[in-house]
Amino acid sequence: MANPNFAVRFWGVRGSIACPGVETARYGGNTSCVEMRCGDHTLVFDGGSGLRRLGEALVARPGGTDVDLFYSHTHLDHVIGLPFFAPCYDRKSQIRIWAGHLKPERGIEEVLDTMMSAPLFPIPLAIFTARLSFLDFVAGESLVPHPGIEVRTGPLNHPNRATGYRVEYAGKVVAYITDTEHKPGKRDENVLHLVDRADLMIYDCTYTDREYRAHHDWGHSTWQEGVRLAEAANVGRLVIFHHDPDHDDNFMDRIAAAAEKRRPGTIVAKEGLVLRP
Ligand SMILES: [Zn+2]
Ligand SMILES: [Zn+2]
């Protein structure tokens, strides 16, 4: 049975670069941003361009915003939304920013500060008035952002590193696994560990298996590998995520139909979609 207190909402489902336009209007053109509501707590996974509209929704809710923002990594498609995240400019907001791929050489505050520096961006990170904390960890650690919410983490296979997440709350499990590349014919043990018997597995499905042949070492996976992983790990529902910006709505419809045939119940993430694990 679905848990009414645990909800997953998609604010951005694309990878690489935002791709707004009539041909992507149904699935959405914003880059990675997923909100998980665990009771009264809000966890956010990645802050791509989809983070802007989540911010508008958060400041419209009564009371100050209190969020934990977990980055998979800091490629631009996952961080570009932060300067446009309204709670950053609200003194009443409390924002804890987590990242597991930068230690020991760097830290998340330094990297975001670099993104928001002239002449790339006109205002610095220091302009934010919210109460911010920057929490670097090492992928593989388990985190407890709030009592009753367990967040397990693990390293993914991606250029400059990335972190996968497994959120356990109220007896349900949601895994957020992007960006990562598989090795053909071999399941990634780190990923299997994170997605084991998850109710929902949100997975980097940038390519089809056919397209992947021309994209080795680009750091991304395929929806067919998502299905193979879901089966190997007894996952409830696979959620196809991090869509290639070249995949328009008609292409995504074809993936949805093929995935439904291959593993019934598989979901293709769309902007605005809400799932209950
Ligand atoms: Zn990405
Ligand atoms: Zn990336």
Side-chain angles (χ1 to χ4, degrees), residues 11-15 17-20 27-33 48-53 77 271:
W11 295 90
V13 297
R14 292 283 163 184
I17 189 166
C19 55
Y27 286 86
N30 281 304
T31 62
S32 303
C33 182
S49 68
L51 187 68
R52 186 182 66 86
R53 289 189 57 225
D77 53 324
E271 248 174 80

Side-chain angles (χ1 to χ4, degrees), residues 19 66 84 132-133 164 171-172 177 187 198 201-202 236-237 267:
C19 55
D66 188 297
F84 304 94
L132 295 169
S133 14
K172 297 286 179 181
I177 311 293
R187 307 287 88 76
M201 166 180 144
I202 302 163
R237 283 179 292 169
I267 294 161

Side-chain angles (χ1 to χ4, degrees), residues 69-89:
L69 170 53
F70 297 89
Y71 284 117
S72 62
H73 64 312
T74 39
H75 286 159
L76 282 172
D77 53 324
H78 297 254
V79 295
I80 199 70
L82 189 72
F84 304 94
F85 187 48
C88 288
Y89 304 90

